[in-house]
């Protein structure tokens, strides 16, 4: 998991993702490319806590602590 925070204005709609290639449908012999990221967005910490996987919530706690300094 890679997580980052930044203090600047960035428009999430400008996100461009690299692609990965996989056999799809499985065992079909055909390969397709898919984006690693399909969208990005900004969330208040409280909203992010609701959306994030429970095992990753500590990262938001660390961010909140760093911002409080």
């Amino acid at each position: 998991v890679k997580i980052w925070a930044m203090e600047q204005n960035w428009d999430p709609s400008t996100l461009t993702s690299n692609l990965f290639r996989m056999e799809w449908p499985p065992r079909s012999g055909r390969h397709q490319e898919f984006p690693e990221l399909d969208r990005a967005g900004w969330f208040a910490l409280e909203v992010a806590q609701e959306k994030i996987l429970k095992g990753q919530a500590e990262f938001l706690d660390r961010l909140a602590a760093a911002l409080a300094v």
Side-chain angles (χ1 to χ4, degrees):
V1 174
K2 294 184 181 184
I3 296 175
W4 65 94
M6 62 181 159
E7 187 175 357
Q8 72 179 49
N9 292 326
W10 175 70
D11 181 359
S13 70
T14 64
L15 171 76
T16 57
S17 177
N18 55 317
L19 301 174
F20 69 93
R21 184 175 164 91
M22 68 180 285
E23 184 179 14
W24 193 258
R27 295 182 293 280
S28 67
R30 296 185 310 164
H31 288 82
Q32 295 186 39
E33 290 187 334
F34 300 92
E36 287 196 9
L37 300 171
D38 63 348
R39 65 184 176 272
W42 294 117
F43 305 100
L45 281 173
E46 297 79 23
V47 175
Q49 286 283 4
E50 294 172 10
K51 292 182 174 285
I52 199 165
L53 295 172
K54 298 298 179 205
Q56 298 171 354
E58 180 183 342
F59 293 112
L60 295 178
D61 296 337
R62 291 182 194 177
L63 174 60
L67 293 173
V69 173

